[in-house]
Amino acid sequence: MNTAGCKLLGYSEEELVYHSFDEFVHPEDKDISTKEVMKLGEGETTFKFENRYITKKR
């Protein structure tokens, strides 16, 4: 996780180091997030992608 991600979620790097990114994706957005990550892994880029995150404040 980078500094911007930590700021977005409200956690320090130390709090996030042992967690995977998808733990912070809203449950209703996990399927689309997984599909988009797979596209990125295949070299495709996406510019119209939004999802919700679970922050420290919830």
Side-chain angles (χ1 to χ4, degrees):
M1 183 68 65
N2 62 26
T3 304
C6 290
K7 187 174 181 177
L8 173 75
L9 296 174
Y11 291 94
S12 68
E13 286 185 47
E14 293 79 21
E15 291 175 300
L16 295 175
V17 72
Y18 297 108
H19 296 277
S20 65
F21 179 75
D22 67 338
E23 291 180 54
F24 300 97
V25 175
H26 190 281
E28 294 175 7
D29 296 342
K30 285 192 181 212
D31 286 341
I32 188 71
S33 294
T34 300
K35 289 176 186 175
E36 292 299 320
V37 168
M38 289 175 67
K39 285 182 187 177
L40 289 172
E42 296 169 357
E44 296 181 41
T45 58
T46 180
F47 297 101
K48 295 182 180 184
F49 172 63
E50 293 182 19
N51 65 4
R52 296 165 287 177
Y53 297 99
I54 300 168
T55 65
K56 191 170 187 175
K57 292 181 181 180
R58 297 217 175 233

